[in-house]
Amino acid sequence: MKEYRIKGLSCPNCSLELEQQIRQLENGDSASISYNSGKLNVDEKVNIEEVEKVLASDNASIMKVNHDHHNGHDHDHGNQKTLILLLSISATIFLVTLFMENQVDTSLVIFYLLAMALSGYQTFLKGLKNLFRFKFNIETLMTIALIGAVSIGEWKEGTLVAILFGLNELLEGYGMEKARKSMEKLLDIAPKEATIIQDGMEQVVSIQSLKVNDIVLVRSGGKIPSDGMIVSGNSSVNESAITGESMPIEKSSGEEVFGGSINNEGVLKVQITKAYEDSSLAKILHLVEEAQDTKTPTELFINRFSKYYTPSIMIISGIVMVVPPLLFGGSWGEWFYQGLAVLIVGCPCALILSSPIANISGITSNARNGILVKGSVFLEQLGKIDTLAFDKTGTLTKGQPYVQEYEAFDQKSFFTVAAAIEKSSSHPLAKAVMKKIEEYSIDHKEADEIETVSGQGIIAQVDGQKYWVGNEKNIEHLTIPVPIQHKITAMKKEGLTLVIVASQHQILGIFGIADQIREESHSVVKALHETGIKNTVMLTGDHEKTAEKVAKQVGVKRYYGNLLPEEKVEMIKALTKQGKVAMIGDGINDAPALASADLGIAMGKGTDSAIETADIVLMQDHLEKLPDAISIAKRVNRTIKLNISLALGLKLIALLLTVPGLLTLWIAILADMGATILVTLISLTILWQGKEDKGYSSKDDVESNLQTS
């Protein structure tokens, strides 16, 4: 498949029709057009000249995807300027003619026709082509209405219909362009060039040419071109492009950095660890771009509905024109006029636009906050969930063991022996012990004859004496005194993991280790309940006491401990029978459970596994933005429902005016245009709200805010 950018798409319905025409070409049966992103995917074997002819029939054209994004916008902006100019001239001619009509004879009809032609000639030409092909779409309806208005001498109203419809098309295009531009500003955060150091010389190259192990120079205010590791320099780095975190993070030699993040001060030398196309930023931007092309069940329903809607309007219009005069003695001219108005009311513009702009706005707002939603269908699902299942380790907790409390029975030897044995171990519990010991001034002795006993701990010699460090199984050679046994039991009841330090004859002391709960977990769970999440559940492989302790501290309603990965899957399946369930985990160990839930949410701060596993990825290393993401998703769903109600409601009211014969052409077009304007503006408020939440003004773009934050 080959991908092209398309310029000049006029409406979602027209895009579908163009897609169908391209599919009729040789080798074109797999072609697809996305109105949301303005892209065409087509088989490489298709004759591209034939494709261009099809697109040209709707005044659209193609541009290869690797061209500058702004070219497409310049073209669309040029089209908008032309349309604004034509509409302005038409409106001026119409107003002048309307003013002079009372003073001059009706020969001024020519001026009405001129105004009508300037504002509606594109619609008229498309409509005529469609009429001869028996294809009934928006342009066909409008063309029939204009011909009908002229045929019965309604010059003023016909001209007004043409001008208002042109204005409607302009506003419709503006709304989608605004949403696309906002998305593309987000995508434009990717750096274009990098300064590479070779043989002591600096050279500016395209980021696509970067290779693993290349050394790049990043000056103050510059973007890090791809994922890498700092080999020289210290600085604070703004990672908001990746994670949505507004606060810069201090980085120094040996630490990893993400491509697209900004070096705030100083000079960094970074060794590239991933080619740009494999970097976290490239994957994020690719997935965000792909997300525009997915269709929700609501959108698919609207598309199917539109296929039957337009022919139905044609039939209803015909009935209005014919039945009252034939059966009830009505005036043919009057009811013909009413039928033309019904045609205009029937334009499905607002209905088709009710969903895509809202979805793009929601995806963009979440992406700004470091929340990667992989498609509109997942955004819709996020707004419907009522149960949220959490993994514990690394999600509600930091996944970093720490010593919560300790008891020393031999003050002289406890820390000294523990430090000597644990300092060479890479085990997470050993690291927690060493972190606690480093808070004190302890002389580190050397351990000899170190022996690791699987599932128990370590046995080693310090100063010629044998010592044991580990769990209870590792001290079976000792008889534990009752007071110490009580202490061990009490610490275990608190959900602590024990590291016991013992000699040949006695226990020297006990470390009680816990997984540190994230500071924000309690407030996040509370905020989730406030957003409408009815059930919060914690699923963990840790023992029941630990699960109970963490659940109480963070405020989840239910918890289940001692679960194997396959048991987590069974729990998720059971929960999905009771409601819509989202599972949130680290994207690695919880992959089966994430896949089993209605919606999988991964935490990862840019890790490949997190990006690839779930439907939604929290690029931060915490849950703080999750309530905002759910709120945005719920707002998108509410907006789409409101849009559909407005689109159909205004049309229904206008159609009901035909009963007493009060519907006019200009009321019909105003009803259609009013619905389109309302749907577009309401959808764009999601985008503007997203900027306000992040502290953006409506005129700022993502990149400038990143650079000044």
Side-chain angles (χ1 to χ4, degrees):
M1 296 292 285
K2 196 165 185 178
E3 187 179 80
Y4 296 90
R5 290 189 61 78
I6 307 178
K7 304 176 291 185
L9 288 174
S10 56
C11 69
N13 201 43
C14 303
S15 301
L16 287 172
E17 291 173 1
L18 289 173
E19 180 184 289
Q20 291 167 5
Q21 291 179 48
I22 294 172
R23 286 186 174 185
Q24 292 172 6
L25 299 176
E26 187 177 355
N27 300 313
D29 51 356
S30 60
S32 64
I33 292 179
S34 168
Y35 176 68
N36 293 357
S37 59
K39 290 191 300 185
L40 162 70
N41 284 287
V42 68
D43 193 301
E44 293 183 0
K45 296 178 182 178
V46 170
N47 186 330
I48 201 63
E49 291 181 359
E50 293 296 321
V51 173
E52 288 178 327
K53 287 180 182 178
V54 172
L55 293 173
S57 68
D58 195 48
N59 294 321
S61 58
I62 63 174
M63 172 181 66
K64 287 187 179 179
V65 75
N66 59 355
H67 286 193
D68 189 346
H69 288 315
H70 297 294
N71 291 342
H73 287 316
D74 291 342
H75 179 276
D76 291 338
H77 191 59
N79 284 345
Q80 282 191 339
K81 280 188 173 180
T82 302
L83 186 53
I84 290 171
L85 178 62
L86 290 174
L87 287 172
S88 299
I89 296 171
S90 296
T92 302
I93 293 172
F94 175 75
L95 291 173
V96 170
T97 307
L98 190 65
F99 176 75
M100 295 175 62
E101 193 175 51
N102 294 327
Q103 303 173 25
V104 188
D105 61 36
T106 53
S107 62
L108 288 177
V109 164
I110 189 69
F111 291 106
Y112 283 128
L113 284 173
L114 178 61
M116 192 185 302
L118 285 173
S119 57
Y121 77 96
Q122 288 185 342
T123 300
F124 187 73
L125 291 176
K126 288 181 192 176
L128 278 180
K129 288 180 184 177
N130 292 335
L131 198 55
F132 287 121
R133 296 172 187 167
F134 294 99
K135 183 195 295 181
F136 300 105
N137 61 8
I138 298 167
E139 284 82 11
T140 313
L141 297 182
M142 293 305 301
T143 298
I144 294 172
L146 288 175
I147 293 172
V150 169
S151 67
I152 60 175
E154 293 290 347
W155 307 105
K156 285 184 291 187
E157 294 202 16
T159 305
L160 186 59
V161 164
I163 293 171
L164 290 177
F165 184 74
L167 181 59
N168 190 49
E169 293 275 279
L170 177 68
L171 294 170
E172 182 181 320
Y174 174 78
M176 181 53 74
E177 185 192 7
K178 189 77 176 174
R180 282 187 194 142
K181 274 188 175 181
S182 182
M183 176 67 79
E184 291 201 359
K185 283 177 182 177
L186 180 71
L187 299 177
D188 204 37
I189 61 175
K192 304 295 185 293
E193 296 176 330
T195 303
I196 192 171
I197 301 175
Q198 288 182 330
D199 302 323
M201 302 291 290
E202 296 181 16
Q203 182 182 358
V204 177
V205 299
S206 166
I207 59 167
Q208 278 78 17
S209 65
L210 288 178
K211 299 185 293 293
V212 174
N213 295 325
D214 280 348
I215 304 296
V216 297
L217 188 71
V218 186
R219 293 184 172 86
S220 177
K223 290 181 181 178
I224 296 167
S226 188
D227 294 358
M229 181 177 292
I230 297 174
V231 293
S232 173
N234 299 284
S235 180
S236 63
V237 175
N238 188 334
E239 294 183 342
S240 56
I242 309 297
T243 66
E245 298 281 10
S246 58
M247 296 300 293
I249 300 171
E250 296 296 326
K251 298 280 186 178
S252 58
S253 182
E255 293 192 271
E256 293 182 346
V257 287
F258 294 117
S261 52
I262 296 171
N263 176 22
N264 283 337
E265 71 271 337
V267 178
L268 296 177
K269 287 184 180 179
V270 177
Q271 183 178 29
I272 300 299
T273 56
K274 291 180 183 177
Y276 174 72
E277 59 268 21
D278 298 322
S279 69
S280 299
L281 179 64
K283 289 180 179 179
I284 291 167
L285 298 185
H286 178 67
L287 289 170
V288 169
E289 199 167 18
E290 279 190 337
Q292 301 174 80
D293 298 336
T294 62
K295 285 185 169 62
T296 66
T298 302
E299 287 178 310
L300 292 172
F301 169 76
I302 289 173
N303 288 340
R304 288 194 301 270
F305 179 71
S306 296
K307 290 181 181 179
Y308 303 101
Y309 175 80
T310 303
S312 299
I313 288 296
M314 296 283 292
I315 294 169
I316 293 170
S317 175
I319 292 171
V320 170
M321 290 179 180
V322 174
V323 172
L326 281 179
L327 301 183
F328 305 106
S331 166
W332 283 97
E334 180 184 334
W335 286 103
F336 184 77
Y337 177 88
Q338 292 286 307
L340 294 179
V342 170
L343 282 180
I344 296 172
V345 170
C347 290
C349 300
L351 183 64
I352 294 170
L353 281 178
S354 60
S355 182
I357 297 179
N359 279 320
I360 291 178
S361 298
I363 290 170
T364 304
S365 294
N366 274 322
R368 287 200 194 103
N369 285 332
I371 299 160
L372 178 60
V373 183
K374 292 186 179 179
S376 300
V377 64
F378 304 122
L379 186 68
E380 185 176 285
Q381 283 284 75
L382 183 62
K384 292 179 178 178
I385 62 168
D386 52 32
T387 299
L388 191 55
F390 298 88
D391 171 49
K392 179 184 77 70
T393 306
T395 304
L396 293 170
T397 65
K398 292 183 177 180
Q400 300 171 354
Y402 78 109
V403 176
Q404 181 171 305
E405 65 175 277
Y406 68 89
E407 187 73 32
F409 304 113
D410 186 327
Q411 296 284 353
K412 185 177 180 181
S413 303
F414 177 41
F415 275 3
T416 303
V417 170
I421 296 174
E422 297 282 52
K423 69 179 181 180
S424 59
S425 175
S426 60
H427 194 283
L429 296 183
K431 290 181 178 179
V433 168
M434 288 306 299
K435 190 172 182 180
K436 171 57 70 174
I437 291 173
E438 285 167 3
E439 296 177 7
Y440 305 92
S441 298
I442 303 295
D443 292 331
H444 290 189
K445 296 187 176 182
E446 295 298 324
D448 301 314
E449 299 182 20
I450 298 173
E451 176 189 356
T452 301
V453 182
S454 180
Q456 296 186 24
I458 298 174
I459 302 173
Q461 287 198 7
V462 180
D463 290 339
Q465 298 292 320
K466 196 172 185 180
Y467 293 95
W468 286 256
V469 176
N471 57 31
E472 289 177 273
K473 292 180 181 179
N474 205 36
I475 57 168
E476 290 179 345
H477 64 285
L478 290 175
T479 300
I480 303 173
V482 173
I484 295 179
Q485 185 61 63
H486 285 164
K487 184 62 180 177
I488 289 173
T489 303
M491 292 175 80
K492 286 170 68 176
K493 282 183 177 179
E494 290 180 37
L496 300 176
T497 300
L498 305 186
V499 174
I500 302 171
V501 182
S503 66
Q504 182 73 48
H505 307 291
Q506 64 173 335
I507 293 176
L508 305 179
I510 307 169
F511 292 101
I513 297 176
D515 186 1
Q516 192 168 0
I517 293 172
R518 294 178 182 274
E519 294 85 353
E520 75 280 357
S521 290
H522 182 269
S523 60
V524 165
V525 172
K526 182 181 178 183
L528 287 169
H529 288 147
E530 290 171 352
T531 62
I533 301 299
K534 297 176 182 177
N535 302 308
T536 48
V537 183
M538 186 180 71
L539 309 177
T540 179
D542 279 357
H543 50 78
E544 202 76 16
K545 286 293 181 184
T546 302
E548 180 184 10
K549 176 186 173 184
V550 173
K552 285 182 178 178
Q553 285 185 278
V554 302
V556 296
K557 293 185 177 181
R558 287 185 283 168
Y559 63 90
Y560 300 91
N562 296 315
L563 296 177
L564 297 172
E566 56 268 27
E567 291 174 323
K568 285 187 180 181
V569 171
E570 292 304 314
M571 287 300 307
I572 290 294
K573 287 180 178 178
L575 290 169
T576 55
K577 293 177 182 178
Q578 303 169 19
K580 290 284 184 182
V581 179
M583 170 71 187
I584 178 165
D586 60 13
I588 306 170
N589 300 326
D590 298 303
L594 290 171
S596 300
D598 295 308
L599 196 68
I601 305 174
M603 296 179 62
K605 202 172 183 178
T607 60
D608 291 344
S609 55
I611 293 173
E612 293 166 4
T613 301
D615 308 317
I616 295 174
V617 181
L618 306 182
M619 301 308 297
Q620 311 96 334
D621 197 27
H622 57 74
L623 298 169
E624 193 172 342
K625 299 290 180 65
L626 182 57
D628 290 338
I630 293 173
S631 294
I632 289 172
K634 286 180 178 294
R635 184 176 176 188
V636 168
N637 288 351
R638 288 196 305 269
T639 298
I640 291 171
K641 288 178 182 176
L642 176 61
N643 286 347
I644 293 172
S645 300
L646 284 171
L648 294 178
L650 286 175
K651 292 180 184 301
L652 179 61
I653 291 170
L655 288 173
L656 288 175
L657 290 176
T658 60
V659 177
L662 297 177
L663 183 61
T664 62
L665 293 179
W666 66 268
I667 288 178
I669 193 64
L670 282 176
D672 180 62
M673 185 174 70
T676 302
I677 293 171
L678 285 172
V679 162
T680 301
L681 292 179
I682 291 169
S683 296
L684 288 176
T685 58
I686 298 169
L687 201 59
W688 298 330
Q689 184 65 44
K691 289 183 179 182
E692 290 168 9
D693 291 342
K694 193 161 175 75
Y696 294 170
S697 70
S698 60
K699 295 182 180 178
D700 289 338
D701 64 50
V702 174
E703 184 173 352
S704 64
N705 279 285
L706 289 175
Q707 291 173 336
T708 56
S709 59

